[in-house]
Amino acid sequence: MGNPTNWYFDGELYDHNKNQATVMGIVLRDTDLGNSINIDDRITVQFKVFDFFDIEDMSITQKDRFSILDKLFDVDDQFKYIKYDKYEIVSSEEEMLKKAEEYTAQGYEGVVLRAIDAKYVLGKSKTGGRTNFVQKYKLFDEDSAKIISLEEKPNVEGFGFVFNVKTDICPDIFSINASGTVEYRKAVFGNQEQWIGKYIRFRYTGKTKNKKPKFPKLILDDTGSYKIEAKENMSFDEIAEIKIKSKN
């Protein structure tokens, strides 16, 4: 169906054991890895194919596109760095939730839902977001982590920082990007002593083998402030005091 010279793959660079920032660092690195290192052994990044489109025939349905991809990738590991993520068909919300739980338990961020009769849509929808025919679904868990330190990390907005934290069950210190408005982040960073040692609430999707939370993201309350959990005899008056000082 169609002319393969008009086909374009839709996918992303991926390594199941590395976060996206690390993957991009590997791919964009412009320095030599060293003659003593075999680059094939060092780099495990793959291009994961989710879909494709024919630029000359955008009428091909998702079902037919999957059928074409099934035939193209009918032999496992025929391409070293290009892999096809096989799909599964579900017919109810219950089946979808079960699959989402299975994949999240395997360390994936969630699942992508695709309408089987949908045509490929280039770019964003008319409303500026994703097309309704392709939707992400993620299962999240919440936890609290003890703040060890705050570390400045400049971003595209000119100012940013991370909370270096540790949970009760994970032996490793990990970082969570600070969110909220630039003014709020600057206020928090300027009052570091009020935050170190406190427990901050965050959301995550799955854990590593070492019980390190994956894709951690801070939780904001209705006022746009970080949520602090009362631990180690910390009173709620102390929590309120932190928020007030950070706002000033």
Side-chain angles (χ1 to χ4, degrees):
M1 181 183 293
N3 184 349
T5 60
N6 296 323
W7 294 357
Y8 291 82
F9 286 137
D10 179 356
E12 71 174 357
L13 296 171
Y14 182 79
D15 185 325
H16 193 59
N17 297 312
K18 297 181 177 68
N19 60 40
Q20 199 62 21
T22 302
V23 169
M24 294 309 296
I26 292 173
V27 173
L28 297 176
R29 181 182 294 165
D30 58 4
T31 57
D32 186 10
L33 292 178
N35 296 328
S36 62
I37 299 175
N38 186 329
I39 194 169
D40 289 338
D41 294 334
R42 177 70 178 269
I43 298 180
T44 56
V45 176
Q46 300 171 339
F47 181 72
K48 287 280 191 177
V49 176
F50 307 143
D51 201 350
F52 88 98
F53 61 91
D54 186 332
I55 197 65
E56 297 296 331
D57 184 5
M58 300 298 291
S59 67
I60 306 174
T61 65
Q62 182 72 78
K63 181 179 180 180
D64 288 335
R65 296 198 305 275
F66 276 155
S67 179
I68 293 172
L69 289 172
D70 286 340
K71 294 175 181 177
L72 181 61
F73 293 90
D74 61 345
V75 178
D76 290 338
D77 299 324
Q78 60 180 317
F79 303 112
K80 188 170 185 178
Y81 295 112
I82 303 176
K83 303 296 179 181
Y84 172 41
D85 262 4
K86 296 297 179 67
Y87 59 90
E88 296 189 65
I89 296 177
V90 295
S91 56
S92 67
E93 182 178 359
E94 290 74 18
E95 290 182 23
M96 183 274 292
L97 290 174
K98 183 178 180 180
K99 290 297 179 184
E101 290 175 356
E102 289 178 6
Y103 285 116
T104 300
Q106 294 173 30
Y108 292 98
E109 187 176 350
V111 295
V112 176
L113 308 175
R114 298 176 183 270
I116 202 67
D117 58 349
K119 299 177 179 62
Y120 193 95
V121 178
L122 288 172
K124 295 183 177 180
S125 67
K126 293 180 180 179
T127 58
R130 288 180 173 273
T131 170
N132 291 330
F133 300 123
V134 180
Q135 297 290 328
K136 285 186 176 180
Y137 182 84
K138 302 177 182 179
L139 294 173
F140 293 105
D141 287 307
E142 293 186 9
D143 199 355
S144 59
K146 185 176 182 179
I147 300 172
I148 307 300
S149 64
L150 285 69
E151 181 181 355
E152 188 170 358
K153 294 282 186 180
N155 56 25
V156 294
E157 295 177 297
F159 176 80
F161 73 91
V162 298
F163 287 98
N164 294 315
V165 301
K166 185 178 183 298
T167 64
D168 293 338
I169 61 174
C170 176
D172 298 329
I173 294 176
F174 61 96
S175 300
I176 308 179
N177 287 323
S179 52
T181 65
V182 174
E183 291 74 16
Y184 178 60
R185 278 179 275 148
K186 287 182 176 180
V188 171
F189 194 77
N191 287 278
Q192 297 185 36
E193 69 282 356
Q194 298 295 323
W195 293 83
I196 294 175
K198 304 304 185 289
Y199 283 77
I200 194 165
R201 296 292 296 176
F202 69 98
R203 181 179 291 116
Y204 66 95
T205 304
K207 293 181 178 179
T208 65
K209 293 180 180 179
N210 207 30
K211 299 188 182 303
K212 178 181 176 181
K214 300 178 68 174
F215 312 109
K217 185 177 181 180
L218 294 177
I219 300 174
L220 302 179
D221 63 18
D222 294 337
T223 67
S225 302
Y226 304 131
K227 285 190 174 182
I228 298 297
E229 181 172 320
K231 284 197 175 185
E232 297 181 339
N233 299 319
M234 182 183 182
S235 70
F236 283 97
D237 287 339
E238 289 177 294
I239 295 175
E241 184 180 2
I242 289 177
K243 290 186 177 182
I244 291 172
K245 288 187 176 182
S246 297
K247 289 289 186 181
N248 295 333

